[in-house]
PDB file of all heavy atoms in Angstrom:
ATOM      1  N   GLY A 176      30.246  22.925  10.639  1.00 90.00           N
ATOM      2  CA  GLY A 176      29.366  23.183  11.781  1.00 90.00           C
ATOM      3  C   GLY A 176      28.412  22.029  12.020  1.00 90.00           C
ATOM      4  O   GLY A 176      27.841  21.474  11.078  1.00 90.00           O
ATOM      5  N   MET A 177      28.239  21.661  13.284  1.00 93.00           N
ATOM      6  CA  MET A 177      27.409  20.492  13.604  1.00 93.00           C
ATOM      7  C   MET A 177      25.998  20.629  13.053  1.00 93.00           C
ATOM      8  O   MET A 177      25.458  19.704  12.434  1.00 93.00           O
ATOM      9  CB  MET A 177      27.361  20.313  15.123  1.00 93.00           C
ATOM     10  CG  MET A 177      26.366  19.243  15.570  1.00 93.00           C
ATOM     11  SD  MET A 177      26.112  19.242  17.354  1.00 93.00           S
ATOM     12  CE  MET A 177      24.662  18.194  17.489  1.00 93.00           C
ATOM     13  N   LEU A 178      25.367  21.786  13.268  1.00 93.00           N
ATOM     14  CA  LEU A 178      23.994  21.969  12.799  1.00 93.00           C
ATOM     15  C   LEU A 178      23.920  22.004  11.283  1.00 93.00           C
ATOM     16  O   LEU A 178      22.941  21.534  10.686  1.00 93.00           O
ATOM     17  CB  LEU A 178      23.413  23.258  13.397  1.00 93.00           C
ATOM     18  CG  LEU A 178      23.263  23.264  14.923  1.00 93.00           C
ATOM     19  CD1 LEU A 178      22.743  24.616  15.413  1.00 93.00           C
ATOM     20  CD2 LEU A 178      22.316  22.150  15.375  1.00 93.00           C
ATOM     21  N   ALA A 179      24.949  22.562  10.634  1.00 91.00           N
ATOM     22  CA  ALA A 179      24.984  22.564   9.169  1.00 91.00           C
ATOM     23  C   ALA A 179      25.094  21.144   8.627  1.00 91.00           C
ATOM     24  O   ALA A 179      24.460  20.793   7.625  1.00 91.00           O
ATOM     25  CB  ALA A 179      26.147  23.414   8.676  1.00 91.00           C
ATOM     26  N   ILE A 180      25.877  20.305   9.302  1.00 93.00           N
ATOM     27  CA  ILE A 180      26.018  18.912   8.878  1.00 93.00           C
ATOM     28  C   ILE A 180      24.687  18.181   9.008  1.00 93.00           C
ATOM     29  O   ILE A 180      24.274  17.427   8.110  1.00 93.00           O
ATOM     30  CB  ILE A 180      27.107  18.209   9.720  1.00 93.00           C
ATOM     31  CG1 ILE A 180      28.487  18.807   9.397  1.00 93.00           C
ATOM     32  CG2 ILE A 180      27.107  16.706   9.452  1.00 93.00           C
ATOM     33  CD1 ILE A 180      29.594  18.301  10.300  1.00 93.00           C
ATOM     34  N   ILE A 181      23.995  18.409  10.132  1.00 93.00           N
ATOM     35  CA  ILE A 181      22.685  17.756  10.346  1.00 93.00           C
ATOM     36  C   ILE A 181      21.712  18.165   9.247  1.00 93.00           C
ATOM     37  O   ILE A 181      21.008  17.325   8.670  1.00 93.00           O
ATOM     38  CB  ILE A 181      22.125  18.117  11.729  1.00 93.00           C
ATOM     39  CG1 ILE A 181      22.962  17.470  12.830  1.00 93.00           C
ATOM     40  CG2 ILE A 181      20.659  17.684  11.853  1.00 93.00           C
ATOM     41  CD1 ILE A 181      22.549  17.881  14.242  1.00 93.00           C
ATOM     42  N   TYR A 182      21.677  19.468   8.932  1.00 89.00           N
ATOM     43  CA  TYR A 182      20.735  19.955   7.927  1.00 89.00           C
ATOM     44  C   TYR A 182      21.039  19.363   6.553  1.00 89.00           C
ATOM     45  O   TYR A 182      20.145  18.882   5.849  1.00 89.00           O
ATOM     46  CB  TYR A 182      20.767  21.481   7.868  1.00 89.00           C
ATOM     47  CG  TYR A 182      19.779  22.061   6.878  1.00 89.00           C
ATOM     48  CD1 TYR A 182      18.443  22.205   7.210  1.00 89.00           C
ATOM     49  CD2 TYR A 182      20.186  22.430   5.599  1.00 89.00           C
ATOM     50  CE1 TYR A 182      17.528  22.707   6.303  1.00 89.00           C
ATOM     51  CE2 TYR A 182      19.273  22.933   4.681  1.00 89.00           C
ATOM     52  CZ  TYR A 182      17.947  23.072   5.043  1.00 89.00           C
ATOM     53  OH  TYR A 182      17.052  23.558   4.126  1.00 89.00           O
ATOM     54  N   LYS A 183      22.318  19.388   6.160  1.00 88.00           N
ATOM     55  CA  LYS A 183      22.686  18.882   4.833  1.00 88.00           C
ATOM     56  C   LYS A 183      22.488  17.371   4.737  1.00 88.00           C
ATOM     57  O   LYS A 183      22.179  16.847   3.675  1.00 88.00           O
ATOM     58  CB  LYS A 183      24.146  19.237   4.535  1.00 88.00           C
ATOM     59  CG  LYS A 183      24.412  20.721   4.381  1.00 88.00           C
ATOM     60  CD  LYS A 183      23.794  21.283   3.120  1.00 88.00           C
ATOM     61  CE  LYS A 183      24.514  20.812   1.875  1.00 88.00           C
ATOM     62  NZ  LYS A 183      23.966  21.431   0.656  1.00 88.00           N
ATOM     63  N   ALA A 184      22.683  16.660   5.871  1.00 89.00           N
ATOM     64  CA  ALA A 184      22.616  15.201   5.832  1.00 89.00           C
ATOM     65  C   ALA A 184      21.201  14.667   5.677  1.00 89.00           C
ATOM     66  O   ALA A 184      21.004  13.636   5.026  1.00 89.00           O
ATOM     67  CB  ALA A 184      23.240  14.632   7.112  1.00 89.00           C
ATOM     68  N   GLY A 185      20.205  15.357   6.270  1.00 88.00           N
ATOM     69  CA  GLY A 185      18.878  14.748   6.217  1.00 88.00           C
ATOM     70  C   GLY A 185      17.707  15.680   6.102  1.00 88.00           C
ATOM     71  O   GLY A 185      16.626  15.254   5.673  1.00 88.00           O
TER      72      GLY A 185
END
Side-chain angles (χ1 to χ4, degrees):
M177 172 190 167
L178 296 177
I180 293 173
I181 291 175
Y182 182 81
K183 293 291 289 184

